[in-house]
Amino acid sequence: MIHDEDLRHLERSIALADEAVTEGNHPFGAVLVAANGEVLAEGKNSYSIDRGPGHAEANLARDAARRFDIETLRGATLYTSVEPCSMCSGTIYWAEIGAVVFGMSERRLGELTGDSPENLTQDLECRKIFAAGRRLVAVRGPFPELEDEIVKQHVAFWR
């Protein structure tokens, strides 16, 4: 079951994904929230500039690692509409962000994008990547309550 605060930040990540599309990029957005609930930063996909590595979560994690101290990052939660891929999970881990909340699974995204050369997603859960580390990253998601909304966004973009 999704909590109101999680829902609010996930909805914002979905809105950022729409903004990314308007700017000529792929439909992905992310929000970083401090332990006290303050929104610290937001990120969007930057495919038009960075091509494949321009993922919203990696962009946000790199920005956050430059701007915030370790204590703030370890207490923070990164919200994203779609489960972080292996690259983004690694970047989140190395940025020392403490938690991730996502709406739709990476596996479901792969079903939607198929063999699109712009999104050859890997079928690898972020929990497996985080579990291989030596620091805990808490994960919540996916949330079926949001899947229809996120699916519509991706079907509109990838089809």
Side-chain angles (χ1 to χ4, degrees):
M1 178 155 154
I2 194 167
H3 298 99
D4 288 344
E5 184 174 336
D6 287 345
L7 179 61
R8 181 166 51 93
H9 296 305
L10 286 169
E11 289 286 355
R12 178 62 184 150
S13 75
I14 293 167
L16 287 165
D18 284 335
E19 289 179 21
V21 170
T22 300
E23 296 165 3
N25 296 295
H26 294 172
F28 299 95
V31 179
L32 187 67
V33 179
N36 67 4
E38 175 190 357
V39 174
L40 297 173
E42 297 179 334
K44 295 182 243 181
N45 181 276
S46 58
Y47 184 86
S48 64
I49 298 166
D50 299 316
R51 309 304 292 167
H55 293 198
E57 302 90 340
N59 291 342
L60 179 55
R62 279 191 307 274
D63 177 55
R66 290 182 203 110
R67 295 175 47 201
F68 303 106
D69 61 65
I70 298 296
E71 183 178 325
T72 299
L73 292 165
R74 287 185 178 171
T77 301
L78 188 148
Y79 289 86
T80 182
S81 53
V82 179
E83 180 178 12
C85 72
S86 59
M87 176 186 68
C88 292
S89 296
T91 307
I92 290 164
Y93 178 83
W94 285 107
E96 306 234 15
I97 294 169
V100 170
V101 178
F102 65 89
M104 185 177 76
S105 73
E106 179 82 350
R107 176 170 286 159
R108 184 70 174 110
L109 176 66
E111 292 170 2
L112 297 171
T113 61
D115 291 333
S116 170
E118 290 188 11
N119 197 55
L120 294 172
T121 189
Q122 298 170 318
D123 187 8
L124 182 58
E125 294 178 13
C126 69
R127 284 178 173 89
K128 290 183 179 180
I129 295 164
F130 294 135
R134 295 186 174 149
R135 180 181 63 78
L136 175 67
V137 177
V139 178
R140 295 190 304 277
F143 293 102
E145 304 94 318
L146 293 175
E147 187 166 322
D148 287 347
E149 181 179 359
I150 298 167
V151 165
K152 285 179 192 171
Q153 185 178 51
H154 285 273
V155 167
F157 182 82
W158 298 105
R159 303 278 174 193

